[in-house]
Structures are given as C-alpha cells and as structure tokens.
Amino acid sequence: WILSYRRELLLAQAGYAKPSATNSVMLPSRVKRLLDFYIPSKLFQNECLPLCDLQPESSFNFRALAMPERRYFSFRREGQVLMRVCEKHAGAINSEDVHWVLGFTNSTFAGEFAETLVQALYRCPIIQAMSFSRNNRQKMPGTILSADEEEDDGSVLLANLAGSLPPWVTHLTFDNILSKRALDSIVAILKSMGELSAGCGGTHGIDHDRDLSSTLSAKRRYSQPPPAGHTQGTFHGLAIRNHSHLSGETFKPFFNLLGFGSSPDSLQYTPLITLKILDLSGNRLGDEIVATVLQIAHRKESRCSLEQLDLSKNDIGTGDQVVKVLKNYVTKYRKRSSSWCSPLHTLNLSLNDLGIGNAALEIIAMLKNDALCLKSLDVSANGLTDGDGFLNVISSIGNNK
C-alpha cells in the first residue's frame, strides 16, 4: 500500500495525476488499526503521514514506542531503557526528520510517575509526541466517576504533564482517559502558567509559539530542564478526544484558554493561544458547546491560532448554534472589502447527525467565494443524500481558489 501511495504521490508532484487520485488508494484495515493504536488522532496522523491529501512535506518516517499495559508507580527504570533505545536509533537515522511517539494504552498511574517521566523525556530529545489512551473504560457515557475512582485511575497525575513537558514534545493526546478532576487540573495549571508568563511580559515580549519549525533548535538547546522563566505548556497539537463520560460544561473552562475574551487587555496570556491543531472528536459536546469553540476560532479579538479542528462525533444535530456562529463570522468579517480571515482552514464535522436538519447545507453554502476560508471541510457520515440539494450547492463553489 505504501509503495502504491508513493507512486501516486510522485505522479501528482510531476503533474501526471491530480491530488484527488489518492482517493483510489484505499487504506488497508491493518494499517488503519496500527495507526489508530499509535497515533489516535486523525489530525495528527494526517500531519505526519500523507493519508488524505498530497503533502510533500509529510512522510511515512515515524517511530512509535508503545509501553506495556500496567499500573505505573514510577518511570525511572523504563526511562533508562527509553534513553538507550533513543540513543541507538538516533545514531542510525536522521532523527530531525522522524516523528517519534511515546504511547501508553490501558494503563493507570500513581506515585512518582509524572515527575520521573518528565525527567526521562528531557534525556530523550527525539520524542515529539505523547499519547495516553484507554479503550476499555467500563463506564457508560454520561456516568460520573467517583472521587475514589478518579484518584485510583491516576489521570489527575497526567495533568501535571501539560505544564512540564520539554519544548520539543509538540503533540499531546488524551484519549478516553481524563476524569473531570484531571481536566480541571489541566486548566488550572495552564492558567497559572499564563499568569506567570504575563507577569514576565509574556503576552507581547516573548514568542511562545512552539511550532514545529522551532522544535529542532529547542532539541539542540536543551539537554536538561530549562532555566527559570522558560514557558512550557505550549503545543502545536493537542487532542482531548472520546471523553463522552464528561459533560460539555466541563470543557468550557478549557475552551476559554484558546483565546482572549471580549476585552483582551483585561485577560492574561494562556499557552494554548498559540495552539495550531485541536482534536475534540468523540466528546459528545452538543451544538451549543461546539458553537462556543467555533466562536473563539472565528473571532478576531480572541487571537486564537487554531488551523485544524476536529469536531466529529459531537452530537451537533440540527446545528442551529453552529450555523449562527459561522453566519456571524461571514457577515462581520468576510463581506467587507478589508476582510479578516480566521486562521482555521481544516474543519471536521463528520458523524454529527447533521442530516436531521439543514445545517450541513447551510455550512456548505457558506463555502461559496471562500467565505469560510476553509481548505478542507468534512461533513461525511451525517446521513446526507443527493436529494437534499447538495449537488447544486457544491457546484456553486467550483470557482473557489
């Protein structure tokens, strides 16, 4: 499959095939299961692997290290093994061109795990992504975990990682593993970091965008924990997905970290304001909460930097509030001569039951004349049919750039 895909990639780059030709190369189920295990977020997959679009800057060159499924009280011994593995492979390949992922699946955490894991990561500067996932949670959607269950789960310990990971760890995934207390802790830690950074002139005086282009120099610069005043907690990509056991209201404080409010000068800087990729798939947030996220991404004053957003499987339904937010954006910014364009260019709204109303049709209609500034919009698996007028609407956007 990789060789077939590579051939089409080369043909397209040489001008002998259209980018859409890659749709004919189906992803084998075994490859999909492999990728979903090591890189749960589809947005992260598409960035480091050219699975959907022809992206010359992408490659199939990645390394995934899966830790054993068990309860971790410490990472000291494992960290020593990890360091030897990294040293061995880093000497044999050009590590700057490889996407390295360290993943934990169906594990629990306690004791000194978080602090010893961070210490190990500072000795392994080739690790670019961390993934914590669970695919065996027994609680039904909407069931609230007790305080004892949350404590035993150990997910609260993972909250400390959000503010202490090395700057070269640019992607962080939490898949069906966070409790309400853990998410609240992440918010509290990032808010505190923002206040501390703002006190040092962080909002205007320091470049906090830990983008992929800056991670290579960061890897060379840090062989030990950074000096005081170094800002952590900024990421290129963050995935908090499949947390349907949490209510949509629980996410609201987290979303407030994505941008400034209506009065930017009265609010503190937050590390997530420079986030480029956010995966919220499978959280069952509902129309109103999803609209809150989209409003932040489509309001100029928020200074939100999101470029790719996955809101699939979030029970949007009729999507009245989502459509309202997008219409307000088009009316306020895109119909003026000197229009502002949101940095968001990739939006996934699949698996949201949009077919029960006209939301999908109205959103697609807003693509005309590049009103939404989107390069990619996914509304698949929403029960849409050709008879809903989609063919006519889609034909009207044929002249978009």
Side-chain angles (χ1 to χ4, degrees):
W1 174 81
I2 291 179
L3 294 177
S4 298
Y5 197 104
R6 181 62 178 172
R7 283 195 295 271
E8 294 211 13
L9 177 63
L10 294 175
L11 288 174
Q13 291 174 343
Y16 295 109
K18 297 181 179 180
S20 58
T22 56
N23 293 332
S24 63
V25 184
M26 301 301 293
L27 185 67
S29 58
R30 65 183 186 281
V31 177
K32 186 177 185 302
R33 288 195 300 269
L34 176 74
L35 294 176
D36 289 345
F37 181 83
Y38 288 112
I39 310 177
S41 172
K42 298 298 187 296
L43 289 180
F44 293 0
Q45 290 180 13
N46 292 339
E47 184 176 51
C48 66
L49 304 168
L51 299 175
C52 293
D53 301 313
L54 292 178
Q55 303 178 31
E57 69 277 8
S58 300
S59 79
F60 292 97
N61 202 1
F62 78 101
R63 300 290 187 275
L65 306 173
M67 298 303 300
E69 299 181 11
R70 64 179 181 84
R71 185 166 179 80
Y72 289 87
F73 291 92
S74 175
F75 199 73
R76 293 186 184 277
R77 183 177 60 183
E78 294 84 351
Q80 295 174 356
V81 176
L82 177 64
M83 184 170 62
R84 289 195 292 269
V85 171
C86 291
E87 289 176 348
K88 176 182 177 180
H89 287 275
I93 61 176
N94 183 2
S95 60
E96 294 183 357
D97 295 330
V98 179
H99 188 82
W100 286 79
V101 182
L102 178 63
F104 296 81
T105 304
N106 296 335
S107 298
T108 57
F109 313 96
E112 61 175 10
F113 169 79
E115 58 188 88
T116 52
L117 172 62
V118 170
Q119 292 170 4
L121 291 174
Y122 271 107
R123 297 193 295 268
C124 302
I126 62 175
I127 302 295
Q128 295 174 307
M130 293 290 304
S131 173
F132 299 89
S133 61
R134 177 176 300 149
N135 52 33
N136 63 354
R137 179 179 286 272
Q138 299 299 318
K139 290 291 183 178
M140 295 297 292
T143 301
I144 305 300
L145 295 175
S146 67
D148 290 340
E149 287 176 312
E150 289 184 349
E151 187 67 27
D152 182 69
D153 179 271
S155 65
V156 177
L157 287 178
L158 301 181
N160 296 326
L161 296 175
S164 56
L165 289 173
W168 48 82
V169 179
T170 57
H171 296 69
L172 180 61
T173 298
F174 296 115
D175 191 338
N176 190 31
I177 197 167
L178 295 179
S179 64
K180 180 181 183 301
R181 287 179 56 198
L183 185 56
D184 290 343
S185 297
I186 290 177
V187 172
I189 290 173
L190 293 178
K191 285 183 65 176
S192 297
M193 293 175 61
E195 293 169 359
L196 180 63
S197 175
C200 300
T203 304
H204 303 289
I206 300 176
D207 180 11
H208 296 282
D209 188 357
R210 191 175 63 178
D211 208 337
L212 291 177
S213 60
S214 64
T215 58
L216 300 183
S217 59
K219 289 181 183 181
R220 304 185 187 101
R221 187 163 62 248
Y222 293 110
S223 57
Q224 56 186 4
H230 173 76
T231 300
Q232 296 169 296
T234 53
F235 299 95
H236 182 81
L238 181 61
I240 301 181
R241 58 197 306 272
N242 293 324
H243 289 84
S244 58
H245 56 281
L246 302 180
S247 68
E249 292 292 327
T250 303
F251 283 84
K252 276 191 173 181
F254 170 77
F255 296 151
N256 290 335
L257 302 179
L258 297 175
F260 291 108
S262 57
S263 178
D265 294 335
S266 65
L267 298 179
Q268 300 291 353
Y269 165 86
T270 67
L272 295 187
I273 204 169
T274 58
L275 188 68
K276 303 297 184 184
I277 304 174
L278 179 59
D279 185 346
L280 297 171
S281 60
N283 288 320
R284 306 290 186 185
L285 298 174
D287 181 32
E288 182 178 349
I289 306 299
V290 168
T292 300
V293 183
L294 289 173
Q295 185 174 35
I296 295 173
H298 289 91
R299 189 165 52 82
K300 183 179 181 180
E301 294 77 13
S302 74
R303 306 183 199 175
C304 178
S305 301
L306 282 181
E307 297 178 356
Q308 302 181 53
L309 180 60
D310 190 343
L311 292 169
S312 60
K313 205 173 183 180
N314 269 293
D315 295 342
I316 297 177
T318 57
D320 297 333
Q321 297 303 314
V322 167
V323 171
K324 180 180 179 181
V325 166
L326 295 179
K327 282 186 175 180
N328 289 341
Y329 163 69
V330 172
T331 301
K332 183 175 182 179
Y333 298 109
R334 303 298 297 153
K335 290 187 177 181
R336 298 179 178 180
S337 56
S338 56
S339 59
W340 170 79
C341 181
S342 168
L344 186 69
H345 60 70
T346 299
L347 178 61
N348 189 343
L349 295 175
S350 63
L351 295 164
N352 275 301
D353 294 323
L354 298 179
I356 65 177
N358 294 321
L361 185 62
E362 295 187 65
I363 294 173
I364 294 176
M366 283 185 272
L367 295 175
K368 188 176 181 180
N369 299 321
D370 293 316
L372 290 180
C373 294
L374 291 177
K375 297 179 181 178
S376 174
L377 172 64
D378 188 347
V379 291
S380 62
N382 275 300
L384 309 178
T385 64
D386 294 343
D388 293 330
F390 286 98
L391 295 180
N392 292 333
V393 175
I394 292 175
S395 64
S396 70
I397 63 176
N399 294 326
N400 284 2
K401 296 180 180 179

